[in-house]
Amino acid sequence: MKFLLLLMCLCLTDDANSQLICSHQPITALAGDDVILQCHLEPPISVSDETVEWTRPDLDPKYIHFHQDGRLMFDHQNPSYYLRTRLFMDGLMKRNVSMKIFKVKVSDTGRYQCALPSLQKEASIQLIVAQSDVIGSDKPVTVTVGDNAILPCHLEPPSDMRTQTVEWKHNVIKPSCMSTRNRKDYLDLQDENFRGRTSVFHEEMIRGNISLKLTNVTELDAGSFTCNVPKLQSQVRRGFINLTVEPEESRNKGGQTDDIG
Ligand SMILES: *[C@@H]1O[C@H](CO)[C@@H](O)[C@H](O)[C@H]1NC(C)=O
Ligand SMILES: *[C@@H]1O[C@H](CO)[C@@H](O)[C@H](O)[C@H]1NC(C)=O
Ligand SMILES: *[C@@H]1O[C@H](CO)[C@@H](O)[C@H](O)[C@H]1NC(C)=O
Ligand SMILES: *[C@@H]1O[C@H](CO)[C@@H](O)[C@H](O)[C@H]1NC(C)=O
């Protein structure tokens, strides 16, 4: 009974007072991601039979997703979005006109317009799709046995790596140094040599910093490391960092020969 009343209230809401609200923040994504461009009517009104137009005014044809009579009208759609879009209008109160785009490309970057022509509602939302490369270091990292090393690796241009899988490997010690995704480290494939000695800077991942910290370095660690973002759809998905490990004696020697040269 309460439910019915609620429904009636919602349906009686004046259409003219309802606003179409899209996310004000630009949506940023990496090439290959799926994104949802969030737009909804507030307060909710039923839009079950309405035409919903998602367009990009800078394109010709401009229609990204043209929803009419309860379905997508393919013949209006810009071909580069073919089979890559969907709406979520299957709820009871179809106030949610968000559009999902699958496998975004750099060329999907732009301002998207969402319109409900019969209600004269319109709003827009910005999508930015970046294609980042993985950059290691062209200078070797040099540390002394027993010290900690930071193997630098980052995304250029910077992009949020929190939901991406990042893998670290060593050229000799197989199979894996470490991998991480969504703040969780996956260590089941990690070689025993690295056990308890690897970490990444999770709070730095949002800025695309995927550097590895290796503690208590041993001579075995010397070699070439790679950092890899497998799902990245860019040219450079892998960075290389060479690690040079100096024996502990060199530290003492270094101290004694400080004044020379
Ligand atoms: C709209 O639907 C999408 C996909 O299910 C969901 O992620 C989003 O949170 C919904 N938005 C609102 C305002 O309900
Ligand atoms: C790393 O070491 C390998 C083998 O010693 C060498 O071929 C490569 O050029 C080095 N790379 C860098 C970036 O220093
Ligand atoms: C990544 O984070 C580490 C730890 O805070 C820092 O030492 C390093 O300089 C950062 N690298 C980049 C490219 O920002
Ligand atoms: C560092 O590694 C060595 C063996 O390589 C071990 O004997 C030592 O206890 C380790 N130190 C720390 C602080 O874990």
Side-chain angles (χ1 to χ4, degrees):
M1 194 59 195
K2 260 187 192 157
F3 180 65
L4 265 182
L5 274 176
L6 176 71
L7 258 188
M8 281 177 62
C9 291
L10 291 175
C11 294
L12 291 173
T13 307
D14 187 4
D15 287 2
N17 290 333
S18 192
Q19 270 194 310
L20 180 59
I21 298 173
C22 296
S23 167
H24 293 300
Q25 300 284 352
I27 310 296
T28 58
L30 270 187
D33 286 349
D34 298 339
V35 301
I36 295 177
L37 303 185
Q38 302 269 9
C39 289
H40 67 277
L41 285 155
E42 193 67 58
I45 51 170
S46 175
V47 290
S48 47
D49 304 322
E50 304 298 336
T51 295
V52 180
E53 295 179 2
W54 275 95
T55 58
R56 258 180 75 184
D58 58 323
L59 294 187
D60 181 26
K62 66 175 182 176
Y63 290 101
I64 307 305
H65 195 112
F66 189 78
H67 177 96
Q68 198 172 45
D69 303 328
R71 63 194 176 91
L72 165 64
M73 309 303 277
F74 277 110
D75 45 350
H76 283 82
Q77 188 180 36
N78 186 299
S80 80
Y81 289 87
Y82 181 63
L83 296 183
R84 289 204 297 127
T85 60
R86 71 162 288 199
L87 304 187
F88 299 93
M89 302 186 58
D90 37 0
L92 181 61
M93 293 303 300
K94 297 165 182 166
R95 68 185 184 117
N96 185 347
V97 292
S98 301
M99 174 174 67
K100 183 166 185 172
I101 309 178
F102 298 91
K103 290 201 177 353
V104 290
K105 311 168 187 178
V106 173
S107 60
D108 293 346
T109 295
R111 182 158 284 283
Y112 289 73
Q113 201 84 29
C114 179
L116 297 157
S118 56
L119 302 174
Q120 298 184 324
K121 308 288 180 207
E122 202 171 82
S124 74
I125 182 169
Q126 174 88 23
L127 173 66
I128 300 166
V129 183
Q131 181 160 307
S132 294
D133 290 337
V134 178
I135 310 295
S137 169
D138 42 15
K139 278 183 289 191
V141 172
T142 304
V143 293
T144 305
V145 167
D147 280 354
N148 301 337
I150 291 177
L151 304 177
C153 190
H154 71 280
L155 277 288
E156 193 62 58
S159 60
D160 187 355
M161 283 290 113
R162 285 175 301 176
T163 62
Q164 298 283 333
T165 298
V166 175
E167 295 173 348
W168 275 92
K169 290 195 170 155
H170 187 270
N171 65 326
V172 180
I173 305 165
K174 306 276 165 140
S176 163
C177 178
M178 88 172 275
S179 72
T180 184
R181 179 167 188 263
N182 275 337
R183 301 188 74 90
K184 193 171 175 331
D185 298 340
Y186 296 89
L187 304 171
D188 32 326
L189 286 177
Q190 182 175 55
D191 187 273
E192 204 161 320
N193 176 63
F194 295 120
R195 193 142 302 157
R197 297 197 294 124
T198 59
S199 58
V200 291
F201 303 95
H202 286 291
E203 59 300 337
E204 295 267 344
M205 290 244 170
I206 189 171
R207 289 181 285 278
N209 182 348
I210 55 173
S211 303
L212 178 76
K213 182 172 179 183
L214 187 60
T215 58
N216 196 12
V217 167
T218 73
E219 287 184 45
L220 272 181
D221 298 337
S224 182
F225 285 81
T226 56
C227 49
N228 182 22
V229 183
K231 275 197 68 190
L232 208 58
Q233 300 202 331
S234 65
Q235 284 188 302
V236 186
R237 305 196 309 181
R238 210 177 289 272
F240 297 88
I241 306 96
N242 285 354
L243 177 66
T244 311
V245 180
E246 298 185 328
E248 212 165 353
E249 304 87 72
S250 73
R251 191 205 315 261
N252 305 331
K253 221 181 280 167
Q256 282 157 7
T257 55
D258 248 6
D259 296 340
I260 301 172

